[in-house]
Amino acid sequence: MKLILLGPPGAGKGTQAERLVKKYGIVQLSTGDMLRAAVAAGTPIGLQAKEVMDRGDLVSDDIIVKIIEDRTAEPDCANGYILDGFPRTIAQAEALEDMLAKQGTSLSAVIELQVDDEILVSRIETRARETGGARADDNVETLRKRLEVYHAQTAPLASFYEERGMLGTVDGMKSIDEVAGQIDALLAEGATA
């Protein structure tokens, strides 16, 4: 099972990913974690990424896809994985599609958690009041900027995957258990495969 969870910051992707990891025996792959691990391990692609980062530049999609390709070939990915933080753009989705095609495989599902931006902002305001702003990301201005970037760059992926018949959507405004139930139903019926 190879999954992508889409949705804006604060939609509950991380919570659902944790549950899916336990339920299906798959791994959650964070592109940031994979990049840092490749650099730390000194792999050829990791050294290439380090050189780019040391210059202060952003790591190219080609390098990220190669890191994902290397990581998904490891034994713990045999049952599948959830990609976390990738793809973020149409170009990255196309590169991922090419990589999977070369491997003779494809995504099992792309699931979008649909939520209302203003509800997310309200949740952050409430959490900031309750915790006294203990978390650095409990900041409405930061969230609004992240939402703006999400809608400009990542939200178009929903249409990209819908055109390919791979997109399933769930109501991310429901309770954690209800969202989990919707995701499990989509995976069970293969509506997104």
Side-chain angles (χ1 to χ4, degrees):
M1 179 179 296
K2 297 168 186 72
L3 302 174
I4 293 174
L5 296 180
L6 291 177
K13 297 181 303 292
T15 299
Q16 293 302 324
E18 278 180 36
R19 188 190 65 78
L20 291 166
V21 163
K22 290 176 188 160
K23 180 170 183 160
Y24 293 101
I26 58 179
V27 293
Q28 182 177 1
L29 301 178
S30 159
T31 49
D33 291 347
M34 286 186 282
L35 184 59
R36 287 184 288 279
V39 169
T43 65
I45 197 71
L47 294 174
Q48 196 177 347
K50 182 179 184 329
E51 184 180 311
V52 171
M53 293 185 314
D54 286 350
R55 289 194 310 259
D57 294 331
L58 290 175
V59 177
S60 71
D61 291 350
D62 290 343
I63 291 174
I64 293 293
V65 169
K66 181 61 178 148
I67 287 172
I68 291 169
E69 186 175 9
D70 290 351
R71 177 64 181 89
T72 58
E74 292 180 20
D76 65 339
C77 291
N79 288 335
Y81 48 84
I82 300 170
L83 289 174
D84 178 1
F86 188 88
R88 290 187 190 268
T89 65
I90 298 292
Q92 290 178 352
E94 290 170 342
L96 175 63
E97 211 170 48
D98 291 345
M99 178 203 89
L100 292 170
K102 279 192 274 182
Q103 294 175 343
T105 188
S106 62
L107 290 170
S108 306
V110 178
I111 299 174
E112 180 184 26
L113 282 70
Q114 296 180 330
V115 296
D116 179 89
D117 285 1
E118 291 311 311
I119 299 289
L120 291 175
V121 169
S122 174
R123 286 179 183 170
I124 290 295
E125 288 173 332
T126 300
R127 189 168 71 190
R129 277 194 305 274
E130 290 172 353
T131 64
R135 285 178 52 164
D137 59 351
D138 284 346
N139 178 304
V140 172
E141 293 76 29
T142 300
L143 176 62
R144 285 198 189 278
K145 178 62 180 164
R146 290 178 66 205
L147 287 170
E148 187 179 305
V149 170
Y150 172 80
H151 288 297
Q153 295 181 4
T154 308
L157 289 173
S159 295
F160 177 86
Y161 286 114
E162 186 172 42
E163 289 169 7
R164 284 157 174 72
M166 301 178 72
L167 184 72
T169 59
V170 298
D171 181 354
M173 302 308 299
K174 301 280 187 189
S175 73
I176 291 170
D177 289 339
E178 288 173 308
V179 171
Q182 292 176 63
I183 291 172
D184 288 343
L186 284 173
L187 294 174
E189 68 191 36
T192 57

